[in-house]
Every structure is written in C-alpha cells, then in structure tokens.
C-alpha cells in the first residue's frame, strides 16, 4: 500500500473506536449500554447556541486569524485569569480545533526527532500516539503497585538530556484522580530547573468533586508567563459539553505560542469561525452551566461508586473528578482487552480496556451518561462475572 512507517506504527484511538461501535450497535437497535463514552450528555449552554445562530443568520463565516478571533481570545484570557491564576495576553493564546490539536501543535513545536516526552500512567490513550506523530519517543511512568498516581521522584528519574516535555492531566482521564498540590509544585520546580516544558492538560480541571480544587501549575511558577515552561491546554469539550464544536486552546509563553501558530497555520489555517463564536458565547455565559454539570457528575460518580462496591473483588480508587472511574478487575481477569470483549459479548456493555491507558487489569467505566445506564450497566457486568 506504500504507507509511511509512521502511519503504520500508529495505534487506533481505542476510545473513538469504541464510541463508534457503541453508537452503531445502538443504531441497529441492540440493547447496548455505553460505559466507554467520553462526553457529557447535557445540552450545550444556551448562550453558545445563540451566538453561533446570529452568525449563521448574518451568513458571514470566513477564515479567522490563525490563533483565533480577538473575541474568543478575550474570553479565554478572562477565563484563564479567573481560574488559573495567570493573565495571558493575546500573544499567549492559540485557539485550536479541540484540545487535541492544541496538544499536537505543542508537540510539533517542541519535539525534535528522537526527543522524549514523559507522562505518568494511566494516561489518556492519545498521548503516546501524538508524541509519535511528532517523531518523538513516548516515555510512560507507571505508578507503584496498587496506586494510580505516579510519584514525582519516579518521573524525575526518567528525565534525560533528550526530555523535552512532561504531560500531566489532572484530574486524570482515565483514573479520575486529582494530582495533589505538593506534586504539582514539585513538577513545576523540576521542569523549571531542568528547562523541560510542563504541559498541563486542564481539560477536566473544573470538573472536580467533594469541594476539592485541582491546582493550577501556573500558581507555582516562579517565572513570568513569557519565561515560563508551564503550558496549559484547555477547551469547551468537557466543561461546556461542546465536544462536536472542536474548540480547545493553549496558554503559553509568547515564543512557544508563535511556533504553535506557525504549525497550526500550515495544518488547519484556523479553527471553525462558527465554533469559535459559540465557544466565546459559552465562556461568557460561564459558571452557572459548569456548576450544574459538575454537581450532576458528582451525583453520578456516587452512583458509580455505590454500584461498583457491589462487586466484592473489584478494587476502586474513588474518582475525585472527570467522569471516569478506573476500577481494577484483575481478580476476575488480568487481560483487560479480553474482559472488555467478554462484557460486550455477554452483557452488551461497552468498557474501555485499561491497557489502552497503560495500566493492565483495569477497565475505564464512564459515568457521563444516564444514571439508569450506570446502574443497569454495572448490574450487567456483575451478572456476567458471576
Ligand atoms: N485531553 C484529554 C485528557 C481528553 O480526555 C480529551 C478528550 N477528547 C482531550 C484532551 C481532547 O479534547 P478535545 O479535543 O475534544 O478538546
Ligand atoms: N477524550 C475522550 C475519551 O477519552 C473522547 C474520545 C477521545 O478523543 O479520545 O474517551
């Protein structure tokens, strides 16, 4: 077929593949329960709809500046100042087609062929493949036995002269765990001392429970933003339930931002003008929507934990944020792909194998869907395993 070595080396996105599978089975009328999903079921904020509706009426939808419209960047700056303790200017921001593209822009901007990018496991499925897309070498650092959060010292021990960046996602997809303040402070210190970028994937950062707050790495940086090695990635997909709009962004020092703008200009020109307007509307509408979503997810988290506790041999770290749980099923089956296939076959339940996130023996079970599906889905898993 004459495909590139790079293309042939890439794995499929397990999350997107299972999402499609679940939707296809539903469309065929199969009684499938999708606990593999990665998007809230809530309708998007009204303000977002109205803003993009007005634009459609005017019929004027064109290319925008590569790094995003001034209106969206103004909202991103205000949002970042309010929640992340740093005040970016327009030259620190790139609006992208999803947080995914923002991460890609970053990796292409900092990684030379053979450079290493470190991230703790369990990690989001796309990190290793995205590092490979930038011709980098992914370096996953596992937590210690029975834990879900890697130690800062174990991550530091993997830094070499080829390390360009560390990627952290807190709260974490898939574990739902929040990295504690001490850990984030230490990572900022290490990265600033070693000249390594610290990319904070803050996409779930406002979806935390039990009165907790996921700390912002910027607050621990000793340097002004334009000299800082801290980069924040964010977006409207999760917090505003706007996955299909495909708007994310990065906040970084100016020099890095300009390099990321060049990458984006050559790859996608700019994010969709309609979606940028909608995202600005969502950010303007703000907190009310996020708080309702967060509160609803916290209740669903409680339901998921209560249902999973009925499976006596399952070990679970109570999720502190996101809409994912990452129970350890290894007492039933160590091979998570085998288990995921078995659950689909025997119980019509979709769950993502832990091995896709770099930690075997676990399954990722989402609680972003309907409450009744969580109860029915975990109930079916229990029966299948019994
Ligand atoms: N980071 C993490 C950890 C995610 O789970 C997702 C979900 N798709 C993304 C980034 C990308 O989000 P999006 O491209 O939809 O903004
Ligand atoms: N981030 C979500 C997930 O982990 C959506 C799918 C994806 O982009 O991977 O399921």
């Amino acid at each position: 077929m004459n495909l590139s070595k790079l293309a042939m080396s890439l794995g499929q996105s397990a999350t997107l593949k299972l999402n499609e599978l679940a939707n296809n089975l539903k469309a065929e009328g199969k009684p499938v329960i999708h606990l593999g999903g990665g998007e809230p079921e809530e309708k998007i904020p009204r303000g977002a709809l109205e803003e993009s509706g007005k634009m459609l009426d005017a019929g004027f939808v064109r290319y925008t500046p590569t790094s995003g419209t001034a209106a969206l960047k103004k909202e991103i700056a205000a949002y970042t100042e309010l929640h992340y303790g740093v005040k970016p200017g327009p030259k620190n921001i790139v609006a992208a087609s999803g947080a995914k593209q923002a991460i890609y822009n970053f990796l292409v901007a900092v990684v030379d062929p053979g450079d290493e990018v470190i991230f703790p496991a369990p990690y989001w499925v796309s990190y290793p493949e995205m590092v490979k897309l930038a011709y980098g070498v992914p370096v996953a650092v596992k937590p210690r036995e029975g834990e879900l959060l890697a130690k800062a010292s174990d991550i530091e021990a993997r830094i070499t002269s080829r390390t360009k960046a560390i990627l952290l996602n807190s709260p974490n997809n898939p574990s739902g765990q929040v990295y504690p303040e001490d850990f984030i402070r230490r990572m900022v210190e290490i990265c600033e001392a070693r000249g390594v970028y610290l990319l904070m994937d803050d996409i779930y950062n406002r979806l935390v429970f039990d009165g907790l707050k996921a700390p912002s790495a910027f607050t621990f940086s000793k340097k002004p933003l334009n000299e800082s090695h801290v980069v924040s990635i964010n977006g409207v997909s999760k917090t505003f339930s706007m996955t299909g709009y495909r708007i994310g962004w990065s906040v970084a020092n100016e020099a890095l931002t300009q390099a990321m703008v060049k990458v984006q200009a050559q790859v996608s020109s700019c994010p969709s003008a309609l979606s940028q307007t909608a995202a600005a509307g969502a950010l303007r509408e703000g907190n009310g929507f996020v708080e309702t979503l967060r509160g609803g997810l916290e209740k669903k988290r409680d339901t998921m934990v209560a249902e999973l506790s009925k499976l006596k041999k399952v070990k679970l770290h109570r999720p502190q944020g996101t809409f994912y749980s990452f129970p350890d099923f290894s007492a039933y089956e160590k091979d998570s792909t085998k288990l995921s296939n078995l659950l689909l076959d025997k119980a019509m339940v979709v769950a993502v194998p832990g091995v896709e996130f770099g930690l075997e023996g676990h399954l990722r079970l989402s609680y972003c869907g309907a409450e009744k599906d969580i109860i029915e889905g975990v109930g079916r898993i229990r029966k299948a395993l019994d």
Side-chain angles (χ1 to χ4, degrees):
M1 283 287 190
N2 243 347
L3 299 177
S4 70
K5 290 194 184 72
L6 176 62
M8 287 192 293
S9 79
L10 286 182
Q12 260 191 328
S13 163
T15 44
L16 294 181
K17 191 174 88 183
L18 285 173
N19 216 18
E20 273 184 45
L21 175 75
N23 290 336
N24 290 343
L25 289 171
K26 273 187 198 162
E28 286 167 21
K30 301 264 165 57
V32 66
I33 299 227
H34 187 19
L35 297 182
E39 52 191 345
E41 58 167 7
E42 279 68 13
K43 284 206 181 120
I44 69 163
R46 175 120 207 113
L49 277 175
E50 279 165 4
E51 298 270 339
S52 50
K54 271 188 236 156
M55 207 176 165
L56 271 181
D57 289 343
F60 199 71
V61 183
R62 296 281 185 263
Y63 289 136
T64 74
T66 297
S67 63
T69 62
L72 175 58
K73 285 164 82 171
K74 186 170 153 247
E75 296 304 331
I76 293 172
Y79 183 82
T80 307
E81 187 179 1
L82 186 63
H83 298 291
Y84 296 88
V86 73
K87 191 176 178 179
K91 290 190 175 156
N92 300 114
I93 297 169
V94 191
S97 303
K100 213 171 204 169
Q101 191 185 9
I103 298 170
Y104 177 76
N105 290 343
F106 165 81
L107 291 169
V108 173
V110 304
V111 172
D112 279 319
D115 281 347
E116 293 162 7
V117 177
I118 302 178
F119 41 82
Y123 47 74
W124 179 39
V125 285
S126 287
Y127 288 164
E129 307 311 298
M130 290 176 85
V131 171
K132 284 199 240 159
L133 273 175
Y135 293 96
V137 179
V139 178
V141 180
K142 289 210 169 146
R144 299 195 182 165
E145 189 63 33
E147 294 179 12
L148 286 180
L149 295 178
K151 298 265 177 277
S153 53
D154 292 346
I155 294 176
E156 188 178 9
R158 302 291 291 277
I159 296 178
T160 70
S161 58
R162 299 295 317 249
T163 306
K164 277 290 174 65
I166 296 175
L167 314 182
L168 286 181
N169 173 221
S170 178
N172 175 265
N173 175 6
S175 73
Q177 302 301 301
V178 173
Y179 283 94
E181 204 173 294
D182 281 357
F183 174 90
I184 302 288
R185 182 184 292 112
R186 184 77 196 115
M187 293 314 299
V188 174
E189 278 168 12
I190 293 169
C191 287
E192 289 191 339
R194 308 282 292 254
V196 166
Y197 277 108
L198 178 63
L199 180 129
M200 296 297 302
D201 182 341
D202 287 326
I203 189 102
Y204 299 99
N205 193 271
R206 305 213 27 236
L207 302 178
V208 285
F209 315 136
D210 309 320
L212 270 173
K213 208 171 172 320
S216 160
F218 284 122
T219 57
F220 304 119
S221 173
K222 302 237 171 357
K223 299 183 179 175
L225 177 56
N226 276 334
E227 288 162 36
S228 178
H229 278 78
V230 176
V231 178
S232 167
I233 298 289
N234 219 320
V236 292
S237 280
K238 315 293 169 171
T239 316
F240 292 94
S241 196
M242 290 170 68
T243 46
Y245 280 73
R246 311 304 307 123
I247 294 292
W249 58 83
S250 53
V251 174
N253 70 59
E254 270 186 40
L256 172 58
T257 299
Q258 290 325 300
M260 291 166 75
V261 172
K262 264 199 273 176
V263 174
Q264 179 155 293
Q266 302 296 3
V267 172
S268 66
S269 299
C270 63
S272 145
L274 263 180
S275 294
Q276 289 188 61
T277 304
L283 290 176
R284 205 169 300 128
E285 185 160 307
N287 245 347
F289 181 88
V290 180
E291 198 34 49
T292 308
L293 176 66
R294 198 201 60 73
L297 289 173
E298 184 161 351
K299 285 206 192 88
K300 289 184 193 177
R301 184 275 315 261
D302 291 344
T303 304
M304 179 59 92
V305 170
E307 293 306 307
L308 281 171
S309 71
K310 296 177 188 164
L311 281 138
K312 294 296 172 228
K313 290 193 274 177
V314 156
K315 284 187 231 142
L316 177 71
H317 289 255
R318 187 182 175 81
Q320 300 164 310
T322 70
F323 33 72
Y324 308 112
S325 63
F326 200 56
D328 179 350
F329 279 84
S330 53
Y332 291 99
E333 171 60 65
K334 287 192 170 55
D335 182 332
S336 58
T337 309
K338 206 164 148 190
L339 183 59
S340 162
N341 288 336
L342 177 131
L343 293 178
L344 185 60
D345 249 27
K346 290 231 180 321
M348 270 279 153
V349 172
V350 176
V352 191
V355 69
E356 303 288 350
F357 306 92
L359 220 55
E360 203 29 307
H362 293 250
L363 289 178
R364 189 187 79 175
L365 301 178
S366 305
Y367 45 90
C368 52
E371 185 107 10
K372 67 172 183 17
D373 282 354
I374 300 170
I375 298 170
E376 165 79 14
V378 180
R380 286 194 203 173
I381 294 177
R382 204 169 70 234
K383 276 197 209 113
L385 295 180
D386 281 351

